[in-house]
Amino acid sequence: MASPPPTKPPRGVKPPKETSGLLMSVIRTLSASESNEQRDRERAKLEKEYKKSDKQIEEYVSLHHEDLTQIMQAIELTCYVPTTQAQIM
């Protein structure tokens, strides 16, 4: 009995990655700003976003604490085994 062929997952819209684009935008804003007020507003905005993302990370870590612990232990074991093998040889 043959199983049906696998189907491709639907193509979804991926959120844009905010990597260097955001950093470049901040640098442009800060270098183009003529007043300290504008720089202070930009800094406050960045601090607010930083606190928001920090809170999100904390929530994710606490939500997946058990999984993260298991992964960390597995990584520690993988790093330990080659070291032990080198000591034996």
Side-chain angles (χ1 to χ4, degrees):
M1 182 172 192
S3 60
T7 58
K8 291 184 180 179
R11 292 182 181 236
V13 177
K14 293 182 181 179
K17 292 184 179 180
E18 293 183 14
T19 55
S20 61
L22 178 60
L23 179 59
M24 293 304 293
S25 171
V26 169
I27 291 171
R28 268 192 301 275
T29 303
L30 292 176
S31 62
S33 61
E34 296 178 7
S35 67
N36 284 337
E37 282 182 22
Q38 191 175 4
R39 289 184 187 120
D40 289 342
R41 281 194 302 269
E42 189 66 26
R43 188 182 77 228
K45 181 177 150 186
L46 287 172
E47 287 174 352
K48 180 181 175 184
E49 290 298 317
Y50 175 79
K51 288 177 183 177
K52 180 181 169 184
S53 63
D54 191 45
K55 184 179 177 184
Q56 264 187 326
I57 290 171
E58 288 295 326
E59 289 173 4
Y60 290 145
V61 167
S62 66
L63 183 65
H64 299 285
H65 179 72
E66 193 172 310
D67 294 333
L68 290 170
T69 302
Q70 290 175 355
I71 291 168
M72 297 286 282
Q73 289 171 348
I75 291 171
E76 182 180 358
L77 180 61
T78 357
C79 293
Y80 176 75
V81 170
T83 305
T84 306
Q85 287 175 342
Q87 290 174 350
I88 292 173
M89 295 180 170

